[in-house]
Amino acid sequence: MKAEFDLVLRDAIVMTPNGREAIDIGIRGERIAGLGSLAEESSEKTLRLPGLTVLPGVIDSHVHFREPGFIHKEDIETGTQAAVLGGVTTVLEMPNTSPPTTSAGDLQDKLARAHGRAYTDHAFFVGATVDNIEELFKLEQLRGCAGVKVFMGSSTGSLLVEDDATLERVLMATQRRVVVHAEHELRLKARKRKAESMGHPRAHPEWRDWETALTATKRLLAIASKTGRCVHVLHVSTAEELEVLSRHRDLATVEVTPQHLTLRAPECYEKHGTFAQMNPPLRDGKHGDALWKAVREGVVDVIGSDHAPHTIDEKKRPYPSSPSGIPGVQTLVPLMLDHVNAGRLTLERFVDLTSAGPARVFGISGKGRIAVGYDADLTIVDMNKKQRIEQNWLASRCGWSPFEGKIVQGWPRVTIVRGRVVMRDNQIHVPIGRSARFCGTL
Ligand code: DOR
Ligand code: ZN
């Protein structure tokens, strides 16, 4: 007779919606089929995990994998390898590739490229432009579409929606979640001279200052209010924005990145130079403290890595011709678990920010919690393991991380995607990733 489960995980602490539980997890096919004390004879296979903690699969809802167009920096294969080594089970990828993802054909092309090469489940954002607004409604319904991305300020690539009227049309034309890079383009243009004259990345938070971010976020909230459409504000980086956002929780959800929580200006620019350059910039302790307060108070919904790889040669160009962006999909879990161990957030809050939060904000079906019937996406970690982040562990094609050499406590040991072990102790297995499903689409 066939056993009830294909695989049972035993001996671990499991983070379920009930809290921390010493229970077994029974997996049948791709789903969680039983939780509790499961009989020995109920399973084909057993994975014993003493001393380890099982978390719902981590969803990184903000990665740039560069394919097509910039595969010398990264591609879907290397990007998702980095993801599973770092304990990430699902990624949502951004549209500023070449060509940018702005049509059904572009989306189809990304899905085809991911087929048989992606180690994680995945979906792709479609970029809003002045030219594709009429089509957005159809695009966002397509399989594999994560939602719509808007750049209010220029960053890597050519996608840009500068003016309020166009932004309003984008919000009116869509139903899914619109995610926004909120920097005010006019102020960016007006202040670029600062960066050029200083010629050092320590100018970055002065060029792209707090007011650049705040102005855009306020404009965005005004349009969200006018249209009654909720928005998701990416990589929030300033105390001022968080103050405003905390008064508009009915209109906006909030993402912060591990690097904005971990690195501080000016030290990061002195130590890492352009390798700490990203948009919006890493800022000083006042803003960092505000981000942590927002994490504690529940103002932050999601932690996304904004994994944005560029090659070492590209990063070595003189500032400001050096490109902005920092890789991070592989270091999100270790860095944030280290913060958990340091007492800056609880493990429960980590799960809320990296699984439940993204599932809720983007309406991802069947993911984001350890519950019967949900996909068996699991991030299994050793909360006690102290480990140095080494260059030879990094799978990103860019080959560097600003966190190289950092010793963290808390490390991903096993990554399971829909019941299949895709990473165990730094060994990666088959690329079985497929497109994530979303409520309200096919
Ligand atoms: O620093 C950044 N890099 N910010 C962005 O908005 C884009 C990203 C990239 O794609 O390089
Ligand atoms: Zn980004």
Short mmCIF file of all heavy atoms in Angstrom, two decimals, residues 35-58:
data_model
loop_
_atom_site.label_atom_id
_atom_site.label_comp_id
_atom_site.label_asym_id
_atom_site.label_seq_id
_atom_site.Cartn_x
_atom_site.Cartn_y
_atom_site.Cartn_z
N LEU A 35 0.30 17.96 9.33
CA LEU A 35 1.13 18.63 10.32
C LEU A 35 0.78 18.04 11.68
O LEU A 35 -0.40 17.86 11.98
CB LEU A 35 0.85 20.15 10.34
CG LEU A 35 1.26 20.94 9.10
CD1 LEU A 35 0.67 22.35 9.16
CD2 LEU A 35 2.79 21.04 9.01
N GLY A 36 1.77 17.75 12.48
CA GLY A 36 1.49 17.21 13.81
C GLY A 36 2.43 16.07 14.10
O GLY A 36 3.56 16.05 13.63
N SER A 37 1.92 15.12 14.89
CA SER A 37 2.72 13.95 15.20
C SER A 37 2.34 12.86 14.19
O SER A 37 1.26 12.30 14.25
CB SER A 37 2.41 13.53 16.63
OG SER A 37 3.24 12.47 16.97
N LEU A 38 3.21 12.60 13.23
CA LEU A 38 2.88 11.71 12.11
C LEU A 38 3.55 10.35 12.31
O LEU A 38 4.73 10.29 12.67
CB LEU A 38 3.32 12.34 10.78
CG LEU A 38 2.76 13.76 10.53
CD1 LEU A 38 3.31 14.34 9.24
CD2 LEU A 38 1.23 13.77 10.50
N ALA A 39 2.79 9.29 12.07
CA ALA A 39 3.30 7.93 12.34
C ALA A 39 4.51 7.61 11.46
O ALA A 39 4.57 8.03 10.31
CB ALA A 39 2.18 6.92 12.09
N GLU A 40 5.45 6.85 12.03
CA GLU A 40 6.69 6.48 11.31
C GLU A 40 6.38 5.84 9.96
O GLU A 40 7.01 6.12 8.96
CB GLU A 40 7.54 5.52 12.15
CG GLU A 40 8.22 6.15 13.34
CD GLU A 40 9.35 7.11 12.97
OE1 GLU A 40 9.85 7.03 11.83
OE2 GLU A 40 9.70 7.95 13.82
N GLU A 41 5.37 4.93 9.98
CA GLU A 41 5.10 4.16 8.76
C GLU A 41 4.30 4.96 7.72
O GLU A 41 4.01 4.45 6.64
CB GLU A 41 4.40 2.84 9.09
CG GLU A 41 3.03 2.96 9.72
CD GLU A 41 3.08 3.26 11.23
OE1 GLU A 41 4.18 3.48 11.77
OE2 GLU A 41 2.01 3.30 11.86
N SER A 42 4.01 6.23 8.05
CA SER A 42 3.16 7.00 7.13
C SER A 42 3.93 7.57 5.94
O SER A 42 3.33 8.13 5.04
CB SER A 42 2.47 8.14 7.89
OG SER A 42 3.44 9.08 8.34
N SER A 43 5.27 7.44 5.94
CA SER A 43 6.00 8.13 4.86
C SER A 43 6.95 7.20 4.11
O SER A 43 7.51 6.25 4.65
CB SER A 43 6.80 9.29 5.44
OG SER A 43 7.80 8.81 6.29
N GLU A 44 7.11 7.50 2.81
CA GLU A 44 8.10 6.83 1.97
C GLU A 44 9.50 7.19 2.45
O GLU A 44 10.37 6.35 2.58
CB GLU A 44 7.96 7.33 0.52
CG GLU A 44 6.72 6.89 -0.20
CD GLU A 44 6.81 5.44 -0.64
OE1 GLU A 44 7.94 5.04 -1.01
OE2 GLU A 44 5.79 4.74 -0.60
N LYS A 45 9.71 8.50 2.63
CA LYS A 45 11.03 8.99 3.00
C LYS A 45 10.93 9.90 4.21
O LYS A 45 9.90 10.55 4.44
CB LYS A 45 11.61 9.83 1.84
CG LYS A 45 12.27 8.97 0.76
CD LYS A 45 13.20 9.79 -0.09
CE LYS A 45 12.48 10.28 -1.33
NZ LYS A 45 13.20 11.23 -2.13
N THR A 46 12.04 9.97 4.96
CA THR A 46 12.07 10.82 6.14
C THR A 46 13.32 11.70 6.08
O THR A 46 14.39 11.23 5.68
CB THR A 46 12.14 9.95 7.42
OG1 THR A 46 10.97 9.14 7.46
CG2 THR A 46 12.19 10.80 8.66
N LEU A 47 13.15 12.95 6.44
CA LEU A 47 14.31 13.84 6.57
C LEU A 47 14.33 14.28 8.03
O LEU A 47 13.38 14.93 8.51
CB LEU A 47 14.13 15.04 5.62
CG LEU A 47 15.31 15.96 5.34
CD1 LEU A 47 16.53 15.20 4.85
CD2 LEU A 47 14.89 17.01 4.29
N ARG A 48 15.40 13.88 8.75
CA ARG A 48 15.50 14.26 10.16
C ARG A 48 16.30 15.55 10.27
O ARG A 48 17.38 15.66 9.69
CB ARG A 48 16.18 13.14 10.96
CG ARG A 48 15.32 11.90 10.98
CD ARG A 48 15.65 10.95 12.13
NE ARG A 48 14.69 9.85 12.12
CZ ARG A 48 13.53 9.86 12.78
NH1 ARG A 48 13.21 10.88 13.56
NH2 ARG A 48 12.70 8.85 12.69
N LEU A 49 15.75 16.51 11.00
CA LEU A 49 16.33 17.85 11.03
C LEU A 49 16.56 18.34 12.47
O LEU A 49 16.11 19.42 12.84
CB LEU A 49 15.41 18.83 10.29
CG LEU A 49 15.06 18.46 8.83
CD1 LEU A 49 13.86 19.26 8.35
CD2 LEU A 49 16.25 18.70 7.92
N PRO A 50 17.27 17.56 13.29
CA PRO A 50 17.45 18.00 14.68
C PRO A 50 18.25 19.30 14.74
O PRO A 50 19.21 19.49 14.00
CB PRO A 50 18.25 16.84 15.30
CG PRO A 50 18.91 16.15 14.16
CD PRO A 50 18.00 16.32 12.98
N GLY A 51 17.81 20.18 15.60
CA GLY A 51 18.51 21.45 15.79
C GLY A 51 18.17 22.50 14.75
O GLY A 51 18.66 23.63 14.83
N LEU A 52 17.36 22.14 13.76
CA LEU A 52 17.05 23.10 12.70
C LEU A 52 15.63 23.66 12.84
O LEU A 52 14.80 23.10 13.55
CB LEU A 52 17.22 22.45 11.32
CG LEU A 52 18.62 21.88 11.02
CD1 LEU A 52 18.69 21.41 9.58
CD2 LEU A 52 19.71 22.90 11.30
N THR A 53 15.40 24.78 12.17
CA THR A 53 14.10 25.45 12.20
C THR A 53 13.54 25.50 10.78
O THR A 53 14.27 25.86 9.85
CB THR A 53 14.26 26.88 12.76
OG1 THR A 53 14.94 26.81 14.02
CG2 THR A 53 12.93 27.58 12.93
N VAL A 54 12.28 25.12 10.64
CA VAL A 54 11.64 25.14 9.33
C VAL A 54 10.75 26.38 9.22
O VAL A 54 9.82 26.56 10.01
CB VAL A 54 10.80 23.88 9.08
CG1 VAL A 54 10.25 23.88 7.64
CG2 VAL A 54 11.61 22.62 9.32
N LEU A 55 11.07 27.21 8.23
CA LEU A 55 10.30 28.43 7.97
C LEU A 55 9.51 28.24 6.68
O LEU A 55 9.91 27.47 5.80
CB LEU A 55 11.24 29.63 7.77
CG LEU A 55 12.37 29.82 8.77
CD1 LEU A 55 13.29 30.96 8.32
CD2 LEU A 55 11.79 30.13 10.14
N PRO A 56 8.40 28.97 6.52
CA PRO A 56 7.76 28.97 5.20
C PRO A 56 8.77 29.48 4.16
O PRO A 56 9.63 30.32 4.49
CB PRO A 56 6.60 29.96 5.34
CG PRO A 56 6.58 30.43 6.74
CD PRO A 56 7.76 29.88 7.48
N GLY A 57 8.70 28.98 2.95
CA GLY A 57 9.66 29.38 1.91
C GLY A 57 9.74 30.89 1.80
O GLY A 57 8.72 31.58 1.78
N VAL A 58 10.97 31.39 1.74
CA VAL A 58 11.17 32.84 1.65
C VAL A 58 10.88 33.31 0.22
O VAL A 58 11.37 32.73 -0.74
CB VAL A 58 12.60 33.21 2.09
CG1 VAL A 58 12.93 34.66 1.72
CG2 VAL A 58 12.76 32.99 3.59
#
